[in-house]
Each structure stands twice: as structure tokens, then as C-alpha cells.
Amino acid sequence: MLFDISQFAMKTESVYMDTLSYIALGGNLPSAVGRPEVSLGAALCRLGELGFSFVAISRFWRTPAFPSGSGPDYVNAVCKVRSDLQKDAILATLHKVENEFGRQRDGRWASRGLDLDLLAVGDQVCPDLETWTHWRDLPLERQMRDAPEELILPHPRLHERGFVLIPFSDIAPLWRHPVSGLTVMEMLATLPEAEKAAIEPL
């Protein structure tokens, strides 16, 4: 299903917003407001209340938990927004909404009621290319236990996650990665067909 953004139109048309960002939403457990698909819809409403202007919102997709067998299936989506906030303030707002929905940070890739990830802000590479490359190339065993203390943009795992790229392709198939130069569709084409086939729209 496509989320109805018309409810935000009157509120945001007259407000000048200059930062274009992409946010991934996901959850596989009930949150403080209900089932994952209810949580994602409510989180979008909350982001609208906090001043984000929605340009596009993907369909909601059901995706297997990662790593395989680690929990119930997820519901995932990606939205494209405008905001006058800087990247760190955007991230802080996403954490605020997660906390409002009862997010518990029990470990890397643990099941959760709501997860909001800042995927990209314009074509920014943050904090710098060397640091970004370090996190992109981190071995899987370290990914499972290590988390950066600073914001890394674009998300260093963006290019290898079907549960992000498939909803991303709903709204911005030609968005181009500022480091690799690949579009969303080109990144999606590199993923195994079996992985993509397991991801289905709600």
C-alpha cells in the first residue's frame, strides 16, 4: 500500500525547506502504537508533525529478518523528505520518534518495534570519504557488534540491503550514490534474485 501524504500537503506547501533526505522505516515487533505496519504509518504522521515535508513515500514491504532467522518478518518503507534541519538534527529527531514509540536498543540488528535510519542527505559523504569507506568495508562479524559513534552518510550498508533498495526504488529509482555513482536500480540489480524475491509488498 502507498501511504497517503495528502494530509500533510496544506501544512507543508508554504514552508521553505532546503534539505532533501531519505529515511528508511522498519519494524518487526509491536510498538507502543501497535503492529509494525501501524507503527510505520504513525511514525510518518509524527515526522510530519515535527516539520518534515514529504516528497514521496514508498509502499510498505514485508521482508525477512536479517540475519536470516533472527526474528519475525519486518515491514519496511523509505520516504523522501525536505527539512530545514541539518543532518545531526534530523538524526536526533528520528531518535526522538523511536523513543516515543518505545524503542529499546538491545543490540545490533535486534528485533524492534520501530527503526528509523537516515539513509542520505543530498549528496553528502560524512564525516569524510576515508571514514565512510572504513564502515562500508567492515567485515560482517564486526558489523554485528560495532556501531559508529558519529553519523555516517550515506548509510554504509545501503548498497547491499534489498529491504532498503526495493522500497527506495519505489520513490527514487534514479537516485545516484555519491560515492559509487550507481543508481538505486543499478545497486538493486547486483543483489541475488532469491533475496529480492523474498521481499513482497503488503
Side-chain angles (χ1 to χ4, degrees):
M1 65 182 175
L2 285 171
F3 191 79
D4 180 11
I5 65 172
S6 61
Q7 59 186 300
F8 302 114
M10 291 182 62
K11 176 179 178 180
T12 59
E13 277 177 352
S14 63
V15 180
Y16 177 73
M17 306 286 186
D18 60 2
T19 301
L20 188 61
S21 306
Y22 294 90
I23 299 168
L25 305 92
N28 69 336
L29 296 177
S31 76
V33 302
R35 302 185 312 275
E37 57 269 32
V38 175
S39 300
L40 266 61
L44 289 165
C45 290
R46 184 65 177 129
L47 290 173
E49 292 171 354
L50 292 171
F52 289 90
S53 175
F54 292 92
V55 178
I57 301 171
S58 76
R59 291 173 286 178
F60 288 3
W61 293 81
R62 188 174 304 282
T63 65
F66 180 83
S68 179
S70 62
D73 287 351
Y74 276 79
V75 177
N76 289 103
V78 171
C79 63
K80 179 181 182 180
V81 302
R82 290 190 183 278
S83 170
D84 55 4
L85 297 176
Q86 296 301 308
K87 59 185 183 299
D88 291 326
I90 294 174
L91 183 63
T93 303
L94 299 185
H95 288 169
K96 169 184 170 67
V97 175
E98 288 179 338
N99 291 337
E100 290 176 354
F101 280 64
R103 171 72 185 271
Q104 300 293 320
R105 299 183 182 276
D106 297 324
R108 297 285 284 165
W109 300 339
S111 294
R112 70 285 309 266
L114 179 66
D115 187 25
L116 301 176
D117 281 333
L118 185 55
L119 299 177
V121 177
D123 59 358
Q124 296 182 45
V125 179
C126 303
D128 53 63
L129 181 58
E130 181 179 2
T131 304
W132 181 88
T133 302
H134 164 79
W135 287 101
R136 179 199 61 185
D137 295 341
L138 204 66
L140 180 60
E141 63 273 13
R142 290 194 56 195
Q143 293 177 33
M144 297 179 71
R145 69 173 189 268
D146 296 349
E149 295 182 356
E150 57 192 334
L151 178 60
I152 309 296
L153 289 175
H155 192 291
R157 306 267 78 79
L158 165 65
H159 61 288
E160 59 187 35
R161 291 183 171 173
F163 62 85
V164 171
L165 290 174
I166 286 179
F168 207 158
S169 71
D170 264 352
I171 61 170
L174 299 181
W175 179 84
R176 196 171 294 278
H177 195 289
V179 178
S180 70
L182 297 176
T183 66
V184 170
M185 293 304 294
E186 289 169 337
M187 289 185 282
L188 189 55
T190 68
L191 299 184
E193 291 302 320
E195 177 184 346
K196 292 183 283 188
I199 300 173
E200 302 177 340
L202 290 184

